[in-house]
Amino acid sequence: MKAPSVKLPLLHRGKAGEPPGIVAVARVDHRTKNITKRLSPGEIAIIDHSDLDRVSAEELIRRKVAAVVNAAVSITGRYPNLGPKLLLDAGIPVVDGVGQDVLVKVADGAVVRLDEETLYLGDTVVAKGTPLTEDLVQTAMTEARAMVGVQIESFAANTLEFLRREHELLTRGIEPPEMDTEMNGRHVLVVVRGYHYREDLAALRPYIREYKPVMVAVDGGADALIEAGYQPDAILGDMDSVSDEALCCGAELVVHAYPDGRAPGLARVRDLGLDAVTLPAPGTSEDVALLVADARGASLIAVVGTHHTLEEFLDKGRPGMSSTFITHLRVGSKLVNARGVHQLYHSRISGWSLLVLVLAAAVTVFVAVVFSPASPILARYFEATWHSFTYWLTGKL
């Protein structure tokens, strides 16, 4: 997938009489998903993200950053992650492996200058790294692909270990929390802010309009739904990547807690004056949302932005993804990927059928008016109405 090139405003690249490089406001954060909420077009993102994944890169591209400075190494070689190539394809320079000190030396909102491999704060050098090029990324990706077998073995080992510990999750599912949101016998749409979520939500509009599925958002998936013009029915997650505005949208809130009952996200919800139930469960919040929909009797679970392919599982690079694989085995009979729904679903009434219906109705009305005994009266009525309309319109001009 080749990302679109990005125009970079609010910066200069060494005009006559000025220092060379990109001068822009810096946004600094250890967590990429936090920094993307604050980025404006033309700013420099200073992140700390080993093995930069595709979803994070796409969000940085969407924010139209001027450049990315990574304290960590963007491709460690553990697996072929897709983020760095997407950034370069979009025309966004990436300076790699500058070290952790940059996160302390540069305050969020400071104006910095990036010249090749060097980052300046005023005239002071605060960081140096390796500018990524197409050749460097290609070489690193080739080496990383050689490690795919090792990663698959690790993924399989993690999956078996999770299955050994949590085998009841596969056989019995989950005990759902008490909720007002009714799912029994209904379609449930689970939205994660992951791969292709914008395109999938747009493609699902006819399906959503006709079936009116229950909309369950996983953390930042609530913002994705609101951005697309929908109202989440429930938000489930640890509440670390969803905005305050989305939390306050009126959806039912379920805080995913650790199996021992600890729920760090509950404090944030209560600070906003909102009510929520907690749900201790193993696995990721994405997994728990699918299991809750299954346990509460959903007839079909359509998913947006979740993980399905081997590429997506490995690109995330987390051992916890093994629980997602197990969860899909549990709910597989009900589970449909949004891309599949879009490809298989067709509205029961086509646009041409609607057009023919409207034309037939118009012809019927016309014939009825022309051949009705009351046609002279109706004609005078329509004429008077038309004159009244034109008189009103003339007065407005």
Side-chain angles (χ1 to χ4, degrees):
M1 169 183 165
K2 186 172 180 65
S5 59
V6 178
K7 295 181 180 179
L8 303 176
L10 308 179
L11 55 90
H12 61 73
R13 297 178 179 271
K15 298 177 182 178
E18 296 179 346
I22 300 172
V23 178
V25 171
R27 295 296 171 197
V28 186
D29 206 298
H30 285 273
R31 306 189 71 181
T32 309
K33 66 181 178 181
N34 289 341
I35 200 173
T36 52
K37 300 174 187 176
R38 309 194 308 271
L39 280 166
S40 297
E43 295 182 336
I44 292 176
I46 300 179
I47 62 176
D48 181 16
H49 197 145
S50 297
D51 294 318
L52 186 63
D53 60 273
R54 177 177 184 165
V55 172
S56 299
E58 287 176 342
E59 193 63 23
L60 290 167
I61 292 168
R62 193 175 77 87
R63 295 290 180 173
K64 299 182 179 179
V65 296
V68 174
V69 176
N70 196 350
V73 178
S74 297
I75 306 176
T76 66
R78 293 189 300 120
Y79 62 94
N81 57 303
L82 306 174
K85 185 176 187 309
L86 288 179
L87 289 172
L88 293 187
D89 287 347
I92 298 174
V94 180
V95 179
D96 212 31
V98 303
Q100 300 292 311
D101 288 350
V102 70
L103 301 166
V104 177
K105 292 179 179 178
V106 179
D108 188 75
V111 176
V112 297
R113 177 168 62 91
L114 180 64
D115 182 21
E116 301 293 339
E117 77 280 1
T118 307
L119 184 70
Y120 296 88
L121 183 61
D123 295 326
T124 304
V125 175
V126 290
K128 281 191 174 184
T130 303
L132 292 186
T133 64
E134 294 286 350
D135 289 341
L136 283 175
V137 169
Q138 183 62 39
T139 299
M141 290 288 281
T142 300
E143 295 173 354
R145 288 189 187 98
M147 296 295 293
V148 168
V150 175
Q151 290 303 311
I152 291 176
E153 289 180 7
S154 176
F155 179 78
N158 287 328
T159 301
L160 290 174
E161 174 60 21
F162 184 86
L163 185 58
R164 185 187 65 80
R165 294 195 326 265
E166 307 291 347
H167 59 88
E168 289 190 357
L169 190 68
L170 184 58
T171 56
R172 297 184 183 179
I174 200 172
E175 184 65 32
E178 292 293 330
M179 297 178 65
D180 294 329
T181 303
E182 184 58 49
M183 302 182 192
N184 189 41
R186 296 186 61 187
H187 288 202
V188 174
L189 181 64
V190 176
V191 179
V192 181
R193 194 161 55 181
Y195 294 89
H196 305 296
Y197 72 90
R198 288 190 182 86
E199 298 92 328
D200 289 347
L201 281 174
L204 285 178
R205 284 194 179 277
Y207 163 76
I208 294 171
R209 184 168 54 247
E210 185 164 337
Y211 281 89
K212 296 179 173 54
V214 178
M215 296 195 178
V216 177
V218 178
D219 275 328
D223 292 287
L225 277 171
I226 292 170
E227 177 185 314
Y230 299 113
Q231 166 71 31
D233 296 298
I235 302 173
L236 188 151
D238 51 18
M239 307 304 173
D240 68 339
S241 60
V242 57
S243 68
D244 289 350
E245 293 75 18
L247 285 175
C248 297
C249 74
E252 190 168 11
L253 304 180
V254 179
V255 179
H256 179 202
Y258 294 110
D260 61 9
R262 290 180 294 120
L266 186 59
R268 180 188 175 197
V269 172
R270 287 177 174 167
D271 286 344
L272 291 171
L274 302 172
D275 294 325
V277 296
T278 58
L279 177 58
T284 67
S285 297
E286 174 184 324
D287 307 333
V288 175
L290 298 179
L291 291 167
V292 167
D294 177 52
R296 293 189 63 83
S299 61
L300 180 141
I301 305 172
V303 291
V304 167
T306 58
H307 302 82
H308 273 267
T309 67
L310 177 63
E311 176 188 80
E312 291 169 354
F313 276 109
L314 293 181
D315 188 41
K316 206 60 181 172
R318 294 204 312 253
M321 295 282 65
S322 57
S323 66
T324 301
F325 180 73
I326 298 298
T327 300
H328 285 195
L329 291 180
R330 167 68 194 179
V331 303
S333 62
K334 299 179 179 179
L335 194 63
V336 180
N337 187 281
R339 275 159 271 177
V341 173
H342 169 54
Q343 291 169 1
L344 294 176
Y345 169 77
H346 298 283
S347 178
R348 294 168 186 161
I349 303 176
S350 68
W352 283 110
S353 298
L354 286 174
L355 179 59
V356 170
L357 182 63
V358 170
L359 289 175
V363 170
T364 301
V365 171
F366 176 77
V367 170
V369 169
V370 170
F371 292 98
S372 169
S375 58
I377 299 174
L378 290 173
R380 286 195 295 272
Y381 170 77
F382 287 133
E383 183 181 5
T385 302
W386 172 254
H387 286 309
S388 297
F389 170 74
T390 55
Y391 178 78
W392 170 84
L393 184 61
T394 303
K396 293 291 183 181
L397 298 178

